[in-house]
Amino acid sequence: MIDIRDLKLQFDNVKVLDGVTMKIPNNMIYVIMGPSGSGKSTILRVLNRLVELYKPKIEGEVYLDGQDIFKMPLTLLRRRVQMVFQIPNPIPTLSIWENVALGPKLNGLAKSKAELKERVRWALAKAQLWDEVKNRLDAPAASLSGGQQQRLCIARALAFKPEVLLMDEPTANLDPVNTAKIEELMLELKKEMTIVLVTHYPPQAARVGDWVAFLYGGKIVEEGPVKEVFTRPRHELTEKYVTGKI
Amino acid sequence: MIQVLFYAGALLAGLLLSALTAALLGDPALGDLHLSYVLYVVTVAAVALGAAGPRVLKNSLSIAAAVAGVLGGAALVYIFLAQVLYVGTAMAVKHGGLAFLWNIPPTPADETGGIGPALLGTLYMTAIGAFFGFLIGFPAGIYLGEFRRELAAKVARIGVNVLVEFPTITIGLLVYALFSLLGMRAFSGYAGALALTIIMIPYVALFTAAAYASIAPAVREAAYAVTGSLYKTLFIVMRKVVARAVLVAFLLGTAKIAGETAPLLFTAFGNDYYTSEIFGVDLGEPTGALTLLIYYMAQTPYTVQNEVAWGAAAVLLWIILAVFAVARLLQRSA
C-alpha cells in the first residue's frame, strides 16, 4: 500500500506537483494518466526517490506500507521499488545476463552463484524473454531489438522481486505487437506486485488499469475505478482527455 | 582501414627514405631534412598556384593541392617519426642490441654504452605516477563529470583546467620546494614520481569527467535505479558504461608522463648508475630517466653519447607507440 499525502514538488521556481494525494492498494495496476508535462513521471520518480537526482524541493509525505520513504535507507527503498523507463535503457556495455544479474549482485540478493543463476533465469522467464535469449546470454544487451530490450529492462527490475513496479510509459517507443506483449505481462505481474503505470495514452489505461488517476497541471482532477472514469467522468477535463480533445 | 594503410605506408616510406638517404649521403638526419623540405616547398607552391592561377588550372590544382597538403603534412610528421625510430634503433643495435637496454650510459672515454638505469628509472617513476595519478584523478573526474552542475565542481573544474595547462617544469619546482621544506631529498626518484603524479591527475580527471558527462540520461537513471548506494552507482555501474574510455585515458596519460622531461629536471635529476642491487634503481637516490638521458647526452660533443641519446629516443618512442597502439585498438573496438 502506497500512501501519498499532499505531495508538492518544484524544480527551481517551476511547480510540478501541487498537492497530490493518492492511495495505491496492493496487487493492482494503478494508472496515472495525463497530458505531457502534467507531472506523471515525476510522481513515479518520487516513489523510488530518483527525483532527488534533479535537486527538487519536496513537501508532503509518502508512505510505503506505513514507512516514510524519505526516512527509509535508499538502498532498502530501491530494493523494494523498481522501475521500468520510457526509453529501453539496458546498460549497453553489459551482456544480457549481466544486465539482469546486476541488481541482485549489487544488492546482495542472491546467496550463491546457483541462486543468482536461478534468479536471472526466473526474471527472464517472467519477462517472457527467456526463450528468445537463452542461447545467447553473453551477447551484448545492445544486440537485442527495442521490444526485447524493454523486456530485458523489465527482467532487470523483476530480478529484485520488488513489491512495487513503476512503469513510465513502457510502451511509448514500441510497436503494437511488443506493446501487447508487455500489457499481457503487466496483467500477469499484478498478481505478485503492485504496478504503478504512467501513460499518456487513455486506451492503454482502459485496457490494463484497475484504478486510474487523471493528472492535470500537477493536480489530480479525478480518480476512481477505470470503468467509472472512462464511462461516467465527473469532471469536464477528464471527459475531454479520455475522448482525445486535450 | 584506409587510414591504417596510410599510416603504415607513411611509416614505411619514412623508413625507406631514411635508409636510402643514409646510404646515399652517409648522414641520415640531413638527407631526410632536405627531402622533407622539398616536399613542403612543392606543397606550398601547389597551394599558391591553385589560388592564383587560371580557373581550370585553379580547380584541378586546388583539389590536388588540398590532397597533397593533407598527405604531405601528415607524411612530414611520419617521416620524422620514422627517422627517429630508424636511426635510433640502428644506434641501439650498434651499441649492443638487447644489452643496450641494461648497460650503463657511456662516459666520453667509453666506446659503447646503454640506457639501463634510465630505462628502469622511467619505468618505475611512470608506473608510480600513473598508479597514484589514476587513483586520485579517476574519482576526481567522476566528481567533475557527474556533479558538474554544482558550484564546487565548477570551481574545481577551473582548477583542474589550469593544472592541465600548467608548464610542467613549474610542477617540478613545486615538488622540489615541497621536498626541501619537508627536509626530504628533492633529487630523488620519489620526487620525480610525485611530479609525474601531479601531471597525471588533471589529465585523467578531465578525460573521466568527459566520459561520465557523456552517459545518456536514460542510462544514468538506470544506473541510479538499480541500487541505492551512490558509491555502487558511480564506481561500479557507471564505470562499466565508460570503462573503455577511462582505460584509454589511463593509457594516454601514462604515455604522456613517460615522455615528460621538464618536471624531472629539478626532481629525479638523472643518474647514470645503478643504485640498488635488488631493484636496480633506488628511488631514494637521484634517478635516471630516458628523457633526461636524451636531454643531457644530445648536448655533449661526444659521438658515443650522441648515439646513445638516439637509441634512448627510439626506445622511448617504441614504448609510447606501443601504449598508443593499445589505446587506439581499444577505442576502435568500442
Side-chain angles (χ1 to χ4, degrees):
Chain A
M1 164 93 168
I2 301 168
D3 187 359
I4 303 175
R5 294 182 197 163
D6 198 24
L7 183 65
K8 289 179 183 157
L9 184 144
Q10 63 181 59
F11 298 112
D12 293 324
N13 289 320
V14 184
K15 250 188 204 164
V16 180
L17 298 177
D18 193 11
V20 170
T21 298
M22 52 170 78
K23 282 188 165 57
I24 304 174
N26 290 342
N27 297 87
M28 67 148 61
I29 298 181
Y30 191 105
V31 184
I32 304 173
M33 64 178 188
S36 296
S38 56
K40 313 180 294 290
S41 298
T42 306
I43 296 183
L44 283 197
R45 281 169 174 73
V46 168
L47 296 182
N48 67 352
R49 285 173 58 191
L50 204 57
V51 76
E52 288 172 11
L53 278 180
Y54 309 104
K55 309 269 180 263
K57 205 176 134 213
I58 304 177
E59 283 173 55
E61 289 152 359
V62 181
Y63 296 93
L64 175 61
D65 290 338
Q67 289 170 284
D68 186 343
I69 66 160
F70 295 110
K71 288 181 185 147
M72 202 185 283
L74 198 53
T75 43
L76 192 66
L77 178 70
R78 298 242 167 104
R79 251 179 249 167
R80 296 171 64 183
V81 181
Q82 270 298 303
M83 182 156 178
V84 176
F85 298 81
Q86 185 177 353
I87 302 169
N89 58 354
I91 305 298
T93 48
L94 297 185
S95 69
I96 294 168
W97 161 271
E98 286 168 324
N99 261 286
V100 184
L102 193 64
K105 265 193 198 166
L106 291 176
N107 291 279
L109 299 178
K111 287 180 198 79
S112 63
K113 269 199 176 154
E115 205 182 316
L116 179 68
K117 225 175 160 178
E118 177 50 31
R119 208 181 243 261
V120 172
R121 197 201 60 77
W122 173 86
L124 282 169
K126 204 83 189 159
Q128 293 172 22
L129 191 60
W130 176 252
D131 288 335
E132 290 162 59
V133 300
K134 63 184 173 192
N135 295 323
R136 49 175 184 141
L137 290 170
D138 290 330
S143 67
L144 296 175
S145 74
Q148 288 173 323
Q149 284 192 22
Q150 192 60 304
R151 276 179 281 144
L152 180 66
C153 291
I154 294 175
R156 179 178 67 198
L158 291 180
F160 283 80
K161 302 198 172 167
E163 295 160 39
V164 180
L165 185 62
L166 310 172
M167 303 187 99
D168 185 5
E169 303 188 29
T171 59
N173 290 300
L174 303 181
D175 58 47
V177 175
N178 276 298
T179 300
K181 270 187 192 171
I182 285 177
E183 285 179 359
E184 248 171 66
L185 185 59
M186 283 190 250
L187 293 172
E188 172 71 27
L189 287 173
K190 77 170 178 180
K191 294 174 196 157
E192 293 165 51
M193 58 194 72
T194 307
I195 295 176
V196 187
L197 170 71
V198 156
T199 182
H200 62 215
Y201 187 53
Q204 183 168 51
R207 280 200 299 268
V208 298
D210 295 306
W211 200 274
V212 61
F214 173 53
L215 201 67
Y216 191 83
K219 281 183 183 161
I220 290 184
V221 175
E222 182 168 347
E223 67 159 340
V226 166
K227 263 190 194 153
E228 221 168 274
V229 172
F230 275 85
T231 50
R232 290 189 302 278
R234 277 166 284 154
H235 201 287
E236 198 186 342
L237 271 174
T238 317
E239 191 178 346
K240 275 188 179 168
Y241 183 74
V242 296
T243 51
K245 286 180 187 134
I246 47 171
Chain B
M1 193 58 210
I2 291 169
Q3 220 183 345
V4 175
L5 277 176
F6 171 69
Y7 290 146
L11 261 177
L12 197 68
L15 283 169
L16 283 173
L17 221 56
S18 297
L20 192 71
T21 45
L24 285 176
L25 300 173
D27 185 348
L30 213 60
D32 260 8
L33 206 61
H34 289 321
L35 270 171
S36 309
Y37 185 66
V38 169
L39 202 66
Y40 175 71
V41 169
V42 168
T43 309
V44 171
V47 172
L49 259 180
R55 182 177 284 263
V56 181
L57 193 68
K58 212 163 140 178
N59 285 349
S60 51
L61 264 186
S62 55
I63 292 168
V67 174
V70 171
L71 292 183
L76 213 63
V77 173
Y78 278 89
I79 285 169
F80 283 114
L81 193 68
Q83 166 79 39
V84 176
L85 284 178
Y86 174 76
V87 179
T89 309
M91 289 304 171
V93 170
K94 178 182 167 191
H95 288 282
L98 274 182
F100 180 77
L101 297 178
W102 56 77
N103 284 341
I104 62 169
T107 65
D110 291 330
E111 283 190 356
T112 186
I115 55 167
L119 178 60
L120 264 188
T122 286
L123 292 180
Y124 285 170
M125 288 190 291
T126 302
I128 296 174
F131 178 76
F132 286 105
F134 187 77
L135 207 65
I136 302 167
F138 177 57
I142 292 181
Y143 178 70
L144 292 182
E146 184 60 15
F147 302 100
R148 58 190 175 281
R149 286 182 190 87
E150 289 181 11
L151 185 66
K154 283 180 186 162
V155 174
R157 188 177 194 99
I158 295 170
V160 173
N161 273 328
V162 170
L163 198 60
V164 84
E165 299 293 348
F166 229 55
T168 49
I169 194 163
T170 54
I171 289 171
L173 273 172
L174 170 82
V175 173
Y176 176 85
L178 196 70
F179 268 58
S180 303
L181 283 173
L182 293 173
M184 283 151 55
R185 195 163 183 180
F187 289 152
S188 71
Y190 292 122
L194 177 62
L196 295 185
T197 303
I198 296 175
I199 294 165
M200 178 92 170
I201 291 169
Y203 199 76
V204 172
L206 289 180
F207 253 96
T208 305
Y212 270 70
S214 73
I215 295 175
V219 175
R220 181 168 177 258
E221 285 199 319
Y224 278 92
V226 290
T227 168
S229 153
L230 185 63
Y231 170 81
K232 285 178 181 169
T233 296
L234 295 177
F235 285 85
I236 299 179
V237 188
M238 288 169 91
R239 192 204 72 221
K240 286 181 191 238
V241 179
V242 296
R244 232 179 264 268
V246 170
L247 188 58
V248 168
F250 172 75
L251 290 174
L252 293 184
T254 304
K256 178 185 159 76
I257 61 171
E260 282 286 350
T261 319
L264 301 179
L265 289 170
F266 293 103
T267 53
F269 193 71
N271 196 334
D272 286 350
Y273 302 98
Y274 287 112
T275 46
S276 160
E277 287 193 358
I278 306 165
F279 301 109
V281 165
D282 177 356
L283 292 178
E285 300 286 329
T287 301
L290 286 177
T291 49
L292 290 173
L293 182 138
I294 296 165
Y295 175 69
Y296 291 127
M297 298 237 154
Q299 296 181 51
T300 68
Y302 306 105
T303 309
V304 61
Q305 292 192 329
N306 297 161
E307 288 179 355
V308 166
W310 272 101
V315 171
L316 185 62
L317 254 181
W318 282 121
I319 293 173
I320 290 175
L321 280 178
V323 175
F324 270 147
V326 173
R328 285 293 292 178
L329 283 176
L330 281 172
Q331 265 174 332
R332 259 165 207 284
S333 60

